[in-house]
Amino acid sequence: MPPTRKPDQSPPAPVSPTGVEVPLPDGAPDPRAQAGDVLTSPQGVRIPDTDHSLKAGPRGPILLEDFHLREKISHFDHERIPERVVHARGAGAHGVFTSYGTAANITRAAVLAEKDLQTPVFVRFSTVLGSRGSADTVRDTRGFAVKFYTEEGNWDLVGNNIPVFFIQDAIKFPDIIHAAKPNPTREIPQAQSAHDGFWDFVSLHTEATHHTLWNMSDRGIPRSYRTMEGFGVHTFRLVNAKQETTLVKFHWKPVLGVHSLTWEEAQIAAGVDPDFHRRDLADAIEAGAFPEWELGVQIFPDTEEETHEGIDLLDPTKIVPEEMVPVQPIGKLVLNANPQNYFAETEQVAFCTGHVVPGIEPTNDPLLQGRNFSYLDTQLTRLGGPNWPQIPINRPHVAVNDNHRDGFMQQGVPVGEAPYLPNSVDDGSPQPTDFEHGGYVNVPRRVEGEVVRGVPSSFDDHFSQPAMFYASLSDVEKTHTIEAYTFELGKVYEQEIKERVLGVLAKIDSDLCEKVAAGLGLPAPDEKPVEHLAPSPALAQVKDATFPITGRQVGVVAGPDADLTGIAALREALEAEGAQVKVIAPHGGTLGSGKNQQVVERTVVTARSIEFDAVVVADGAPKDRDIKTVILLQEAYRQLKPFAAWGDGTEVLASAGIDDDGPGVLTGKTAKTLAKTLVAAMSRHRVWERADLVTASAVPPAS
C-alpha cells in the first residue's frame, strides 16, 4: 500500500496544465502525480524487474534492446538543468601526467606506455550529493575525475575516492541518487546522507553495505583533495601492441598520504568556510605546493572467469586487497595551475567513462557499461547539445575529423562536400585507420548467453568485504566509524529502518553493531558476523608512518610583544619543508619592524582551528585570556593537532586548559629548538595518542 500522506503533505487544488481546476470523480487518481500502484515504463508498460539490466547471460554485456534501462537512465540524466545531477559541487586544476613507461608490456596506450611522456590533464574533484552551493566538508563520496589530453585522443578516468560503488548495476543509479538526495517534499537535508531515504535504500539493497561503510569511516571526510586517494572503481581491459589483454584496476596514491578531517573539523568548516577544500587546493597550487599522486595498477590475468581468488573482478562493490595483488606504480600526476575561469573550465568540463584511447577497453561490469551510456547522454542536456566536445576545456589536443555536422552550439566551420564514408568527392577523406596505424580496434572476444535480467551468483556476497574493511581499520578509525553510524542513524525517523541497518552491521562486526545500537538505545541483533579475508593493513589510514608536510598550515599565536626573531626562525625552518606559517595576532597589519617584521595573516577574529595543521604559541604572546584564542586552542587540541610553545607561550596554553606535557605538546626555550620536533610531529598528521583523552562521546573507544 502507498504511504498515507501526512497533514503537511496535502496537495494543492488539482489543476490542468493550463491552470484550470480539474473536477475529479471520487477515487480518481490525481492527474499531476504518479498514478497507480504498479511500476511501469513512461509508456505505461508494466515492468517486472528494475534492479537488473538485460544482458547476454548473467556475466554478459548489457543489450541495447533494454528499453527500460535506456528510458530510466535517460530520464534521470536530464532531470536537472543546468547543474550536474550528481557531482555538482566541484573544484578543478590543470596539471601534467608523466608516464614511467612501466606499463608498456600491458598496454599500447602511449599515455601509460611511453617512458617520460608528459600528457596535459585537467582534474575535477567533487562531492556527489550536494548542490553547487553546498559545503565542501560534508560526509560524502568524492569524485576524482581526470581528463588526459593524450596524443591519441582524450581519455577520461572517472573515479572516486572510494574504490567500490553503492550498486552493482547502473539501472539502479537513479534509485540510489533519488534516495540519497534531499527529501523531495522539503528539499532537506542538503548534501547529507543522514536521513530516512538514504538508509532505507542501502538497508534494502545490501550490496551498498561496502561503500556505505567506507563513507562512514574517515574516508567520508577527507582532510584535503591533496590527501585523498583515488580509484578507477571498475576493472578495465588493457591491450598491448601484440593484442594481448590484461585486466587492471587503477589507483591514485597521494604523495602526502591519505588523511581525513575529524567530525568536529568538518562541522566547523561547513559553517565558517564552506569552500574549505576548494580554497585549500587553489591556495596550495598558488603557493607552489603542487599536489602529487602516483598512478598505479593492480594487474590480473584476463581469464574467461574474470575473477581473482574467488573475487569477481566485474563486481564494482568488491576490491582485491593490495596485500594480495600489489599496486604497481606506472606514472605521476602533478597539478600545477589553477583554472582561469571557474565556469568555463571546472563547470563546463565533461567526463565520460566511455572516453578511452587505443590500448584501454571497458569490461562487462554492468555498472561501467551503464555509465558509458549515461555520461554521454547527460551532456546533451547539460551543455546544450551534441557539440559539447568543442568547448575549449573539452577539446582534444589532436586533430579531429569525425564527419559530424550542425547541431546546437556548432563552433567549427566544417569544410569539404562529403560528410559521409565512403566517398569519392573528397578523395575518400577522412579514412578509417587499422590497429597497426593507431586505430581503436576492439580485441575480439566471444559474447553469448541467454537474454536475462540477473547477476552471477558471485555478486550475491554483500558482507564479507565490508567485514574485512572494518577489521582493517585502526582503533581510532573504528571509533570514528561507530560515531558516524550513531550520528547518521540518530537522524533517521523510522524505527524499522534503524533496526534493519543494525541487522546489516551485525553481519559485519559484533562490536560495531553493539556500540551503534547502544548509542541509538536499541537492542543489538543476535547474529554472528560473516567470515572474511584477513585484514588488509593498506586500508587503514592511521598507521605508524610519516608523510611530507608540504602545503600544511601552521598557526603562530603572537602579539606586539612576541619574540619576532623566533617566529622568523620558525618560519624559515618550516617553509624549508614546504609548510606555510600564518601569524595570528589581536589586530591586523604588521608586528615589529626591520628584517624580523611579521605580517599578521590572521587575527583572533578571523582565525579558526580548522585551517591549521599545527598551532604554535610564541614567547611574548598576549596573556589576556582572550576567549577567541582560548576557543581556537581548545578546538585544535581536541582535533589532535600538534602543539608547540616556547618561552612563556606555555602560559597561554595553560589558560586554555592545555597541559604543556600532554601528548603532542612540544615546549622549549627557543623557537629554533622546536622546529625539528614540530616537523616530525606534523609528519604523522595528527597526535593519535591524544585521541582517547579528548573524545567526547557516549561511545567508548573501539580498543
Side-chain angles (χ1 to χ4, degrees), residues 493-569:
Y493 177 78
E494 296 292 344
Q495 192 85 342
E496 177 188 351
I497 297 174
K498 298 178 185 179
E499 293 172 351
R500 200 186 305 139
V501 176
L502 289 175
V504 171
L505 297 184
K507 294 181 173 67
I508 296 170
D509 184 89
S510 297
D511 185 67
L512 167 65
C513 181
E514 290 168 4
K515 287 177 177 174
V516 173
L520 298 174
L522 295 174
D526 184 16
E527 187 163 351
K528 186 178 180 180
V530 300
E531 294 183 1
H532 58 80
L533 293 173
S536 168
L539 297 176
Q541 289 184 211
V542 179
K543 56 190 72 174
D544 188 17
T546 59
F547 305 93
I549 66 170
T550 305
R552 292 193 175 270
Q553 308 290 315
V554 179
V556 179
V557 178
D561 300 322
D563 174 13
L564 302 185
T565 301
I567 295 176

Side-chain angles (χ1 to χ4, degrees), residues 3 27 99 136 164 170 198 201 205 207 240 244 402 409 415 439 467 477 488 492 527-528 552 565 608 663 675 679:
S99 169
D136 281 346
V164 290
F198 174 81
F201 182 90
H205 292 261
E207 68 202 65
N240 66 16
E244 298 167 335
D402 54 19
M409 302 299 292
V415 297
E477 290 174 276
E488 296 259 328
V492 171
E527 187 163 351
K528 186 178 180 180
R552 292 193 175 270
T565 301
R608 202 63 194 263
V679 169

Side-chain angles (χ1 to χ4, degrees), residues 673-685:
T673 59
L674 287 176
K676 187 174 181 180
T677 52
L678 181 60
V679 169
M682 290 175 63
S683 71
R684 297 190 63 226
H685 181 57

Side-chain angles (χ1 to χ4, degrees), residues 434-498:
D434 59 19
F435 183 92
E436 286 71 21
H437 294 87
Y440 191 96
V441 179
N442 293 83
V443 173
R445 61 184 187 276
R446 187 176 181 82
V447 175
E448 62 179 8
E450 296 181 353
V451 174
V452 297
R453 291 190 185 275
V455 294
S457 59
S458 55
F459 277 44
D460 293 340
D461 174 15
H462 298 166
F463 303 113
S464 67
Q465 289 228 335
M468 176 190 67
F469 174 74
Y470 186 75
S472 303
L473 300 181
S474 64
D475 286 345
V476 67
E477 290 174 276
K478 287 180 179 178
T479 297
H480 292 167
T481 303
I482 292 168
E483 291 174 341
Y485 271 104
T486 306
F487 172 86
E488 296 259 328
L489 294 174
K491 298 288 186 177
V492 171
Y493 177 78
E494 296 292 344
Q495 192 85 342
E496 177 188 351
I497 297 174
K498 298 178 185 179

Side-chain angles (χ1 to χ4, degrees), residues 246-317:
T246 305
L247 300 181
V248 302
K249 286 182 174 290
F250 290 105
H251 296 248
W252 291 108
K253 299 286 188 182
V255 172
L256 296 179
V258 183
H259 307 298
S260 296
L261 294 171
T262 66
W263 181 230
E264 180 184 54
E265 285 177 302
Q267 291 177 302
I268 293 172
V272 303
D273 188 8
D275 307 306
F276 184 79
H277 284 150
R278 185 181 295 187
R279 188 188 316 281
D280 173 87
L281 178 67
D283 285 353
I285 293 173
E286 187 173 303
F290 298 145
E292 297 182 357
W293 291 261
E294 274 200 314
L295 177 63
V297 288
Q298 288 180 296
I299 301 174
F300 313 94
D302 189 4
T303 63
E304 185 177 352
E305 295 78 19
E306 295 169 309
T307 63
H308 183 80
E309 296 194 19
I311 301 171
D312 196 321
L313 299 176
L314 301 190
D315 183 349
T317 67

Side-chain angles (χ1 to χ4, degrees), residues 557-610:
V557 178
D561 300 322
D563 174 13
L564 302 185
T565 301
I567 295 176
L570 183 69
R571 183 187 296 274
E572 182 180 4
L574 291 174
E575 289 183 349
E577 297 291 333
Q580 296 176 301
V581 171
K582 288 185 169 60
V583 172
I584 307 166
H587 303 286
T590 57
L591 300 177
S593 59
K595 67 177 183 177
N596 290 326
Q597 182 183 72
Q598 296 293 323
V599 175
V600 178
E601 289 96 347
R602 296 289 186 273
T603 67
V604 294
V605 174
T606 60
R608 202 63 194 263
S609 60
I610 56 170

Side-chain angles (χ1 to χ4, degrees), residues 14 22-37:
V22 178
L24 296 174
D26 291 342
D30 186 339
R32 299 156 301 156
Q34 299 281 338
D37 298 330

Side-chain angles (χ1 to χ4, degrees), residues 613-635:
D613 297 287
V615 177
V616 179
V617 182
D619 181 29
K623 314 297 186 298
D624 55 2
R625 297 177 180 267
D626 176 80
I627 186 62
K628 290 184 172 60
T629 302
V630 169
I631 290 173
L632 183 149
L633 294 172
Q634 291 177 340
E635 286 179 351

